[in-house]
Amino acid sequence: MASGRHAGPASHPYRRWVALGATAGLVLAGYAMVGATGSADPGPGAALCGAADDKRQMRGAWLTTVGNIDWPSEPGLSADEQRAELDARLDEAADLGLNTVFLHVRPTTDAVYASDLEPWSRYLTGEQGGDPGYDPLEYAVAGAHERGLELHAWFNPYRVGVSSDLETLADDHPVNEHPDWMIRYGGEGFLDPGNPEVRAWVTDVIMDVVERYDIDGVHFDDFFYPYPKDGEEFDDDASWEAHGGDFDDRDDWRRDNVNRFVAGIHERVEETAPWVRFGISPFGIWRNDGSDPTGSATEGLESYAAQHADTRTWIREGTIDYVVPQLYWERGFAAADYEVLADWWANEVADTDVDLYIGQAAYRAGEPGWQGENALTDQLDHSSGIDGIDGDVYFSFTSLTEEAAEAFAHVREEYYAHPALPPLADVPADADPRVGAVRGLTATASDEGTDLTWRADDDARLYAVYRIAPEHAEIIESGGVEDVCETLTAETLLGVTGDTTWTDDSDAEGAYVVTALDRDRVEGPAGEAVDPRL
């Protein structure tokens, strides 16, 4: 993911490649905005509530499968061992205060899920095509949602593998069936983005997942055309000659190939599952201002030229829903200052419908300039105050519990003290919720805490659990939308779950409210407030 711009720990060679509520409580009230017919008016998640934006934020991490960086810990584990490790990772994500996991489901033109199109990933069993005995993506999606987490399926569109991988491709690997699809470059193999058959194939692979799995997002990393290697040329002469058309410049043609691919994915996802969000995590520099006066005041590799990734076009044309630039440099770094780049990207998404989250380099913790408990909060101290930056995604997951454990504990204390709802899908800001008020809420207090239960809503994706001051419970009964929204805030949000139970293990007193979020992440109205002491 870091793509070798900053080397990770030397002990892990793949880091450089990937990193280059017994008795019911008292029901105090029903929510007046739900009429006798049961139809739901805009609830506290709609734009009518100014406080709603304050409790939405992307808090994610990349769960990397290539090279077994994050999961599974090694190839060849049994299905039970892999599931246990995945459960542990998802538990950690919830405990760390995250709300989104980006699972690497297609690391090298293979699959971390059951596919009729591409072979099983070698990182599961040690042999590409080896059946792990269960469906990891299906298991991960269910587990994530149960814990109140979103799961975005992370695809690498074009990478086939390093040289050693290319010698052991599964018999039914698409490159074995279509050898002209692959170009060898820099000791690795890549599908040719200039071949329309390749783009159609990769699109079909992605849509197969969108159609069959209950994912929340489709995500790409920074690999389109490969990072440049000194003294080598990416040999796409055949596709350039066959498909170059009226382009006089091969670089422009390559960018057009990527733009067409990105736009096509966005269109297909929107048609099939509009609640599934599509985002990309490009290299952190689009263009330097020395190449383009509207570029950033930096002096580093440009994704526009090096990988033919024209992120600005994707943002301006709305062919992505969110962008996560990898800003893997510290504040004050001369060639690529974090502050300069965070400001530049925020300006790029201004007045667009594209959300901006920052890719954070948790893997750099411990390096010079990234030491101590402030290694990550130094970056957030700047970007968290910038309009248009709506969250962060950390590379990689293991770093959060290993080299960056101290730094992320400080992030949790300073910035993630309260849970956050996931960002909205691409819906109108004043979209009405598809869910009604949560009914049947009960709260039972004991020495161990308070157990909540409620009735399931078939249209609910997740549930938000709040604890409010007892004297505020009457607001849920008689308050208008604004009053309710001012009550159900980030500060009163206890957590998010996909289950219909919740245990508050604190000894705090209050009344409890549960709301439902629909598949677009729009929050429904508050239905009941329950105080277990009454």
Side-chain angles (χ1 to χ4, degrees), residues 244-328:
D246 296 329
F247 283 91
D248 296 324
D249 183 272
R250 191 181 301 207
D251 289 335
D252 288 340
W253 169 73
R254 287 173 173 173
R255 276 185 287 271
D256 184 67
N257 292 330
V258 176
N259 290 346
R260 286 174 180 265
F261 173 64
V262 169
I265 294 292
H266 185 263
E267 181 179 8
R268 290 281 300 275
V269 171
E270 282 287 302
E271 290 173 350
T272 304
W275 57 91
V276 172
R277 306 182 69 217
F278 175 43
I280 296 178
S281 178
F283 183 71
I285 299 173
W286 173 71
R287 301 190 79 182
N288 301 308
D289 58 3
S291 301
D292 184 319
T294 66
S296 54
T298 51
E299 297 178 343
L301 179 143
E302 302 172 326
S303 61
Y304 178 89
Q307 299 164 287
H308 306 92
D310 188 3
T311 317
R312 171 175 283 177
T313 290
W314 311 338
I315 292 172
R316 291 185 174 180
E317 295 185 357
T319 53
I320 54 176
D321 296 319
Y322 64 87
V323 62
V324 194
Q326 298 173 34
L327 303 193
Y328 293 171

Side-chain angles (χ1 to χ4, degrees), residues 272-480:
T272 304
W275 57 91
V276 172
R277 306 182 69 217
F278 175 43
I280 296 178
S281 178
F283 183 71
I285 299 173
W286 173 71
R287 301 190 79 182
N288 301 308
D289 58 3
S291 301
D292 184 319
T294 66
S296 54
T298 51
E299 297 178 343
L301 179 143
E302 302 172 326
S303 61
Y304 178 89
Q307 299 164 287
H308 306 92
D310 188 3
T311 317
R312 171 175 283 177
T313 290
W314 311 338
I315 292 172
R316 291 185 174 180
E317 295 185 357
T319 53
I320 54 176
D321 296 319
Y322 64 87
V323 62
V324 194
Q326 298 173 34
L327 303 193
Y328 293 171
W329 307 282
E330 63 269 28
R331 296 173 69 177
F333 181 60
D337 189 320
Y338 179 91
E339 291 189 18
V340 168
L341 284 163
D343 294 349
W344 186 88
W345 283 99
N347 184 67
E348 284 298 298
V349 302
D351 300 319
T352 75
D353 292 328
V354 176
D355 292 336
L356 170 62
Y357 318 126
I358 302 300
Q360 301 286 358
Y363 74 96
R364 297 201 64 196
E367 295 182 16
W370 297 81
Q371 296 175 342
E373 69 173 9
N374 296 322
L376 294 172
T377 51
D378 273 349
Q379 322 305 318
L380 272 61
D381 287 345
H382 177 74
S383 56
S384 65
I386 300 175
D387 264 354
I389 296 180
D390 297 321
D392 303 274
V393 184
Y394 299 86
F395 184 83
S396 72
F397 196 100
T398 299
S399 299
L400 300 182
T401 57
E402 294 186 0
E403 62 262 37
E406 178 189 11
F408 197 79
H410 194 51
V411 169
R412 183 75 194 273
E413 178 183 359
E414 294 294 316
Y415 286 98
Y416 295 173
H418 299 284
L421 301 183
L424 287 166
D426 187 16
V427 295
D430 59 350
D432 290 351
R434 302 172 188 264
V435 288
V438 170
R439 300 301 185 189
L441 177 62
T442 66
T444 305
S446 68
D447 291 340
E448 286 74 36
T450 302
D451 294 325
L452 308 178
T453 65
W454 56 89
R455 290 201 296 267
D457 185 318
D458 291 340
D459 295 319
R461 177 65 129 201
L462 298 170
Y463 299 93
V465 181
Y466 300 86
R467 184 182 62 235
I468 62 177
E471 61 269 24
H472 291 164
E474 64 184 30
I475 293 175
I476 304 300
E477 176 180 11
S478 59

Side-chain angles (χ1 to χ4, degrees), residues 202-220:
V202 178
T203 299
D204 287 345
V205 167
I206 293 167
M207 293 310 302
D208 177 54
V209 172
V210 173
E211 291 166 0
R212 293 193 296 118
Y213 293 88
D214 193 21
I215 60 173
D216 301 289
V218 167
H219 185 76
F220 293 165

Side-chain angles (χ1 to χ4, degrees), residues 214-231:
D214 193 21
I215 60 173
D216 301 289
V218 167
H219 185 76
F220 293 165
D221 51 33
D222 52 332
F223 286 89
F224 293 97
Y225 282 86
Y227 279 88
K229 304 285 187 180
D230 289 342

